[in-house]
Amino acid sequence: MVLGIVGKIGSGKSYLVKYMVGRFKDSDIKVFSCDDIAKDLIESGKTSYTGGKIMPYIFFTNENLQEEIRNTLHPEVFNKINDDIVACRVENPDKDILFIIETALPSELFYKMCDKVIYIRSSYENSYKRLKENRGYVDNQIKLIYNSQEYYEKFYNMADYIIDNDGDKETLNKKIDEVLNEIYLVCK
């Protein structure tokens, strides 16, 4: 199964992935972070994108750069993930592997790859607090980055499951468990 995790910056995608990996620690899981893959493609020169290192603040405040990356780097990231999934399935034909793809910048290609997609969302106030505490972003950076992701809101309606992350960890964990239990039943 290929499970996609999407949400705006600071929504809790990384926490959701870590929670799932911990919950299914005895299963075969392969996690793909689109940010990490994009960075690796750029640093290794294995991409047609030639703009160099992408700083989040610059990316999210430059519409031309966003469009260039959407047209060049994003397809390459998702094609690399797809190739890795296919290769893993060929190498392990008898294993049921859970593939998790985490991205803040989904595309239609991403949705075609995924069997199910979880959209995790959080209020601006809670995302703001997380970005300030965990990443050290300043007010202007947070506002620009958060608002620039409105383009991706269209993908919200394409998700199979929505998890609200505006409560405490215990409440969030219960919501995650409910969604994972439903996915498990659907996939059986």
Side-chain angles (χ1 to χ4, degrees):
M1 167 180 239
V2 179
L3 183 59
I5 308 296
V6 297
K8 283 185 166 186
I9 189 166
S11 62
K13 294 180 302 297
S14 297
Y15 177 82
L16 175 56
V17 170
K18 287 177 190 169
Y19 182 85
M20 290 174 57
V21 168
R23 180 163 179 220
F24 299 116
K25 63 180 174 248
D26 297 327
S27 302
D28 290 311
I29 299 174
K30 183 155 176 65
V31 176
F32 299 96
S33 164
C34 291
D35 287 350
D36 292 345
I37 293 169
K39 181 180 175 185
D40 182 58
L41 287 171
I42 291 168
E43 289 176 356
S44 67
K46 296 178 182 175
T47 176
S48 60
Y49 169 73
T50 57
K53 187 175 179 180
I54 303 167
M55 302 302 293
Y57 179 71
I58 294 169
F59 170 79
F60 287 112
T61 58
N62 184 326
E63 289 184 26
N64 292 331
L65 179 59
Q66 289 179 38
E67 189 64 28
E68 179 185 355
I69 288 172
R70 257 190 234 114
N71 292 329
T72 58
L73 188 57
H74 283 178
E76 292 173 357
V77 167
F78 292 121
N79 285 333
K80 167 117 178 63
I81 292 170
N82 190 58
D83 291 348
D84 288 352
I85 289 172
V86 169
C88 192
R89 285 178 170 160
V90 168
E91 292 170 11
N92 304 285
D94 299 326
K95 285 188 177 180
D96 287 327
I97 301 170
L98 173 60
F99 299 98
I100 300 171
I101 306 171
E102 179 261 320
T103 185
L105 306 172
S107 68
E108 291 182 28
L109 179 58
F110 165 80
Y111 277 90
K112 288 178 185 175
M113 291 172 53
C114 297
D115 297 307
K116 297 289 177 188
V117 174
I118 299 173
Y119 189 105
I120 187 163
R121 66 180 176 189
S122 183
S123 67
Y124 174 77
E125 294 76 23
N126 285 325
S127 295
Y128 172 90
K129 182 180 175 186
R130 287 185 199 110
L131 293 169
K132 197 104 162 141
E133 291 173 1
N134 300 332
R135 298 191 193 178
Y137 288 177
V138 297
D139 295 348
N140 193 40
Q141 287 176 311
I142 295 169
K143 185 176 182 179
L144 287 170
I145 292 170
Y146 193 86
N147 290 338
S148 72
Q149 288 184 312
E150 291 304 317
Y151 167 85
Y152 299 97
E153 284 295 303
K154 70 180 185 176
F155 295 106
Y156 169 84
N157 293 324
M158 296 172 71
D160 298 291
Y161 304 94
I162 313 264
I163 296 176
D164 287 306
N165 183 14
D166 281 330
D168 58 34
K169 291 280 189 228
E170 184 179 330
T171 303
L172 175 60
N173 293 346
K174 285 180 185 177
K175 290 177 184 178
I176 295 170
D177 287 337
E178 288 172 9
V179 167
L180 295 178
N181 288 335
E182 188 173 328
I183 290 172
Y184 177 76
L185 291 175
V186 168
C187 293
K188 266 198 134 194

